[in-house]
Amino acid sequence: MKEYLIVDGYNIINAWDDLKRIGNENLEYAREKLIELLVEYATFKDIKVIIVFDAYLVKGARQNVEEYKNLEVIYTKENQTADSYIEKLISQFKRSDVIRVATNDFAEQQIILGKGASRISARELKIEIDFAKQKIRKRTENKKIQKNTLDSIIDKETLSKLEKIRRNR
């Protein structure tokens, strides 16, 4: 059983105030920030995340896929919405797979549920990501910083000889 999180990229960007603000200035940077957050989240949760950005109104756009470790970014082709791509994608998974779709689009949520996936709102996803970041931060803080000192990597006899040499200078 594998777990997947499918994210309607622009829907999430427009739902989160910080990303929406960035997107109003520079949409590419907002996409990069979302990808960065989701790469960290996917790694922490050990799940496969698929972000779908639609190119519905982009003339001549071809479908493009970018692969990362636990994350895949899909840019749809011209005249294809993220919603239609996600619907088709859900049908390709095994029944035993756990599939969640992050979107605030009510119509899309109904279709997702009808196809056997579960939905997660943009707000719920933000809460999950913030919680994961908090857990990562705590783990990092709790790890002791080990110093590589000579006495930690050589035997006592050799250390004693080196100490005698040092003192006789």
Side-chain angles (χ1 to χ4, degrees):
M1 180 172 72
K2 188 140 170 78
E3 185 176 344
Y4 296 89
L5 172 65
I6 303 169
V7 178
D8 184 337
Y10 291 129
N11 187 279
I12 298 301
I13 286 173
N14 288 314
W16 291 355
D17 292 337
D18 52 343
L19 289 181
K20 187 174 185 174
R21 213 172 10 265
I22 293 168
N24 288 335
E25 298 292 320
N26 184 337
L27 191 55
E28 184 176 345
Y29 186 59
R31 282 193 305 260
E32 288 172 9
K33 291 296 285 180
L34 179 61
I35 291 167
E36 181 182 303
L37 287 168
L38 289 170
V39 163
E40 184 177 48
Y41 176 76
T43 302
F44 175 76
K45 296 288 280 186
D46 194 28
I47 62 172
K48 176 74 172 194
V49 174
I50 302 167
I51 308 172
V52 181
F53 293 107
D54 62 40
Y56 183 72
L57 299 175
V58 179
K59 274 278 197 230
R62 293 186 147 142
Q63 182 176 319
N64 183 28
V65 177
E66 296 175 2
E67 300 261 350
Y68 300 87
K69 184 180 177 195
N70 285 355
L71 185 122
E72 193 173 297
V73 181
I74 298 166
Y75 299 91
T76 67
K77 61 187 176 186
E78 179 183 5
N79 295 324
Q80 184 177 30
T81 64
D83 294 353
S84 66
Y85 187 90
I86 290 168
E87 290 166 28
K88 194 164 55 170
L89 182 62
I90 290 171
S91 303
Q92 297 173 6
F93 293 107
K94 297 176 192 168
R95 281 264 182 231
S96 61
D97 292 333
V98 175
I99 305 159
R100 297 186 312 148
V101 179
T103 183
N104 274 353
D105 183 322
F106 183 75
E108 181 65 11
Q109 289 175 354
Q110 300 310 305
I111 293 168
I112 289 162
L113 294 171
K115 291 193 175 274
S118 60
R119 65 126 189 114
I120 178 172
S121 71
R123 184 174 105 16
E124 291 167 320
L125 179 60
K126 180 83 168 128
I127 291 167
E128 280 189 22
I129 289 173
D130 289 344
F131 182 73
K133 285 170 68 173
Q134 188 178 48
K135 286 280 206 186
I136 292 167
R137 196 174 309 113
K138 279 184 183 175
R139 280 186 188 172
T140 307
E141 289 170 1
N142 289 340
K143 286 187 178 179
K144 293 180 181 176
I145 300 171
Q146 288 184 335
K147 295 181 181 179
N148 276 339
T149 58
L150 196 53
D151 63 338
S152 69
I153 56 175
I154 62 172
D155 62 271
K156 289 183 181 186
E157 184 181 331
T158 307
L159 184 62
S160 176
K161 288 178 184 177
L162 288 172
E163 183 63 22
K164 284 178 185 176
I165 293 169
R166 185 184 71 82
R167 288 182 185 195
N168 288 331
R169 282 190 178 184

